[in-house]
Amino acid sequence: MKKILFLALLASLSFITACDKDFGDLNVDKKNPSAVPPGALFANAQKELFDQMTTPNVNSGIFRLLAQQWAQTTYIDESNYDLTTRNIPQNFWNTMHLNVLKNLREAQSLIPKQNAAFFPPAVQKNQDACVEILNVYTYSVLVLTYGDMPYSQALDIDNVYPKYDDDATIYADLLARLDRAISNISVANPSFGASDLLYGGDMAGWQIFANSLKFRLGMILTDADPAKAKAVVESSEPNAIAERANNVALQYLTAPPNTNPVWTELIQSNRKDFVAANTMVDLMKSLNDPRLSAFFTVDASGTDYVGGIYGSNNSYATYSKPADDLTKPDYESVLIDYAEVEFLRAEAKERGLNVAGTAAEHYENAVRASLEYWGVSAADADAYLANPAVAYATATGDWKVKIGTQKWLALYNRGFDAWTEWRRLDAPTLNVPVDLTYADIPRRYTYPVQEQNLNTVNYTAAAAAIGGDVVQTKLFWDKF
């Protein structure tokens, strides 16, 4: 027995000695590091944000359908505004919170912990401003999608039942945060360098991005709070995007995993779920719109452009489909562009805000910028703008219809923005699926099922506060 105990003691000592030895990085999981630099988290958040705003995946990215840019083939639930079968509101909510906002929050917390010798205060201040701009953008998308939502208590692991904040209150705080971020920008100093996928650390680009976002948010506020909107718009518009080179866009790559989600979902996955919507194709044909060939392929006849009936089953082989360029793996994705900002300027003039130029000039600039972006020649652009149905002086309808219709066309392939502008300007007139009414077209997403089941008390209060957790409920800024 003593011999056995002695051998056991030797074995124990040998194990302890072995544990004291330096095995280098053998016990380090290089694929799952315990510490991540803020730049890596920031880069990941940027890509996740663009991916989510770009994807056509029917489990979360149905905005092109809500805006009636595309129609469906075999599965048509989403075109008939069934958001619950695939749990779309929950998938979108979770992706934006977990993949974007959580990464941004962690990046922001790590910025001041960096070595000041390599990242001096001015650089850290710029980094924080970049993170804040994306925070504001992301939260603004969520507020414009759901209405009241967790905000002041959001992303707190110790509070699994966060209260819902009033959407107008959140909106006001986002504008204040954006102002602080803009004031903290130093264009003379860098930020995240190569981890900044948009501007490579150039803060001049972020300054334009921030002011363009502020301009957009101000214009969305015009019907709900004209005085506040006026102050926001007039302070940001002069510094917003002034040329196509300033577009806020992410250039995807040709090889996975950094490819455009449209390519991933349609080409790599060999899906045949979407065709052009007749809503858009019919309008473009009536206007002789030269962007038609850039937006869509010809139909099965090989000579014409025909959209599938929105809300119905459509034969994939029969109808026009998204153009080939849109389905390339390295096709860029855009968050804000020059055409959109020029439409905002045209609208601002119509609303009597202090913006240089005339509404007609900005409208023409916007339409021309969109045509140029899609490869239309200057001669064809001139002809299109001379069309009485397009020219600002003669096009049908009031300024909301004129601007809203052309802006909806210019926002092709940017489903969320097109849907938002339709909700705001109520133009153009969309099609109505069979057995539904125009009032059934969603004005918001319903809250996630997980919120209804797990955060029931706060969910119930929020649903009552906004007027009901249904897609038809208009949010605080959607007055007409």
Side-chain angles (χ1 to χ4, degrees):
M1 176 63 71
K2 290 182 179 179
K3 184 176 181 181
I4 293 173
L5 290 174
F6 179 70
L7 291 174
L9 177 60
L10 285 177
S12 298
L13 290 172
S14 176
F15 174 76
I16 293 170
T17 302
C19 289
D20 287 340
K21 290 183 179 179
D22 182 8
F23 286 94
D25 60 357
L26 289 177
N27 292 320
V28 176
D29 185 351
K30 296 181 180 180
K31 294 185 178 179
N32 295 284
S34 58
V36 180
L41 293 166
F42 180 67
N44 187 64
Q46 288 176 83
K47 183 180 180 297
E48 289 288 346
L49 173 61
F50 273 88
D51 282 356
Q52 185 54 60
M53 298 306 294
T54 306
T55 184
N57 187 299
V58 290
N59 294 299
S60 62
I62 66 166
F63 295 121
R64 291 180 185 83
L65 298 176
L66 296 184
Q68 297 195 10
Q69 298 176 344
W70 293 358
Q72 291 178 282
T73 55
T74 306
Y75 309 105
I76 60 172
D77 289 346
E78 295 72 36
S79 297
N80 286 273
Y81 311 132
D82 175 3
L83 307 186
T84 58
T85 298
R86 297 184 193 274
N87 220 351
I88 295 165
Q90 182 165 300
N91 295 331
F92 185 70
W93 175 289
N94 287 347
T95 298
M96 295 293 271
H97 279 88
L98 298 176
N99 295 7
V100 183
L101 290 172
K102 190 171 183 293
N103 276 328
L104 291 174
R105 180 171 182 170
E106 185 65 16
Q108 203 161 23
S109 71
L110 293 173
I111 288 171
K113 299 177 182 179
Q114 299 172 107
N115 188 331
F118 298 101
F119 302 95
V123 173
Q124 292 187 20
K125 206 169 184 179
N126 276 344
Q127 292 177 335
D128 188 81
C130 294
V131 174
E132 273 293 82
I133 293 164
L134 285 194
N135 270 325
V136 170
Y137 178 92
T138 306
Y139 269 119
S140 72
V141 168
L142 290 169
V143 170
L144 294 173
T145 301
Y146 298 94
D148 291 8
M149 59 177 288
Y151 179 71
S152 60
Q153 295 181 2
L155 303 175
D156 183 357
I157 195 171
D158 295 320
N159 183 6
V160 294
Y161 307 113
K163 71 171 186 177
Y164 282 57
D165 294 286
D166 172 70
D167 51 1
T169 302
I170 298 172
Y171 205 91
D173 189 63
L174 292 176
L175 287 169
R177 289 173 68 175
L178 195 53
D179 277 340
R180 287 193 295 271
I182 292 171
S183 67
N184 284 336
I185 289 174
S186 169
V187 296
N189 289 285
S191 58
F192 283 108
S195 295
D196 173 7
L197 305 182
L198 295 180
Y199 301 106
D202 180 5
M203 293 307 298
W206 283 98
Q207 191 173 58
I208 295 171
F209 180 5
N211 278 285
S212 302
L213 175 58
K214 182 181 174 182
F215 185 18
R216 173 199 281 176
L217 296 179
M219 291 303 300
I220 291 173
L221 197 60
T222 48
D223 288 329
D225 189 344
K228 176 68 173 178
K230 176 179 172 66
V232 171
V233 166
E234 293 179 357
S235 64
S236 58
E237 181 275 328
N239 299 309
I241 294 173
E243 58 180 340
R244 272 185 52 199
N246 298 146
N247 289 358
V248 183
L250 177 67
Q251 180 65 58
Y252 282 99
L253 305 180
T254 56
N258 298 310
T259 50
N260 189 301
V262 175
W263 176 83
T264 303
E265 295 294 335
L266 303 188
I267 305 303
Q268 186 183 46
S269 301
N270 195 30
R271 304 288 301 188
K272 302 184 185 302
D273 296 333
F274 306 109
V275 295
N278 61 336
T279 317
M280 178 161 275
V281 173
D282 291 350
L283 175 60
M284 296 182 78
K285 289 173 71 173
S286 73
L287 298 175
N288 293 317
D289 195 313
R291 290 168 291 191
L292 194 53
S293 62
F295 285 9
F296 303 112
T297 65
V298 292
D299 67 355
S301 72
T303 60
D304 197 7
Y305 296 90
V306 179
I309 300 172
Y310 185 82
S312 300
N313 291 107
N314 295 288
S315 167
Y316 182 81
T318 301
Y319 296 102
S320 297
K321 291 166 274 293
D324 293 340
D325 279 349
L326 273 66
T327 60
K328 289 181 178 178
D330 59 343
Y331 196 75
E332 73 172 12
S333 177
V334 177
L335 294 187
I336 307 178
D337 70 353
Y338 176 50
E340 176 191 354
V341 172
E342 279 294 287
F343 278 121
L344 291 174
R345 290 185 171 113
E347 179 186 346
K349 290 298 297 185
E350 289 288 5
R351 291 183 181 273
L353 302 180
N354 185 22
V355 172
T358 68
E361 289 169 347
H362 291 301
Y363 170 89
E364 181 172 322
N365 289 343
V367 174
R368 192 177 295 278
S370 175
L371 296 170
E372 290 176 353
Y373 179 84
W374 290 100
V376 175
S377 69
D380 286 342
D382 290 340
Y384 184 67
L385 284 162
N387 182 341
V390 175
Y392 198 66
T394 55
T396 302
D398 60 13
W399 66 262
K400 279 191 174 183
V401 173
K402 295 176 184 181
I403 293 173
T405 300
Q406 283 297 326
K407 191 172 188 180
W408 178 75
L409 290 170
L411 289 171
Y412 176 64
N413 202 39
R414 290 170 54 193
F416 175 80
D417 295 319
W419 177 53
T420 299
E421 291 304 296
W422 172 82
R423 290 182 288 164
R424 198 169 69 80
L425 298 174
D426 299 299
T429 300
L430 301 181
N431 288 325
V432 180
V434 176
D435 298 328
L436 295 176
T437 69
Y438 206 80
D440 291 318
I441 302 176
R443 313 294 296 204
R444 63 179 289 272
Y445 271 9
T446 51
Y447 291 123
V449 172
Q450 67 194 22
E451 287 293 302
Q452 301 174 34
N453 293 336
L454 302 177
N455 195 14
T456 308
V457 172
N458 291 314
Y459 157 77
T460 302
I466 65 171
D469 184 25
V470 293
V471 297
Q472 294 87 357
T473 296
K474 289 189 174 184
L475 303 180
F476 84 96
W477 49 272
D478 187 6
K479 292 293 186 182
F480 303 108

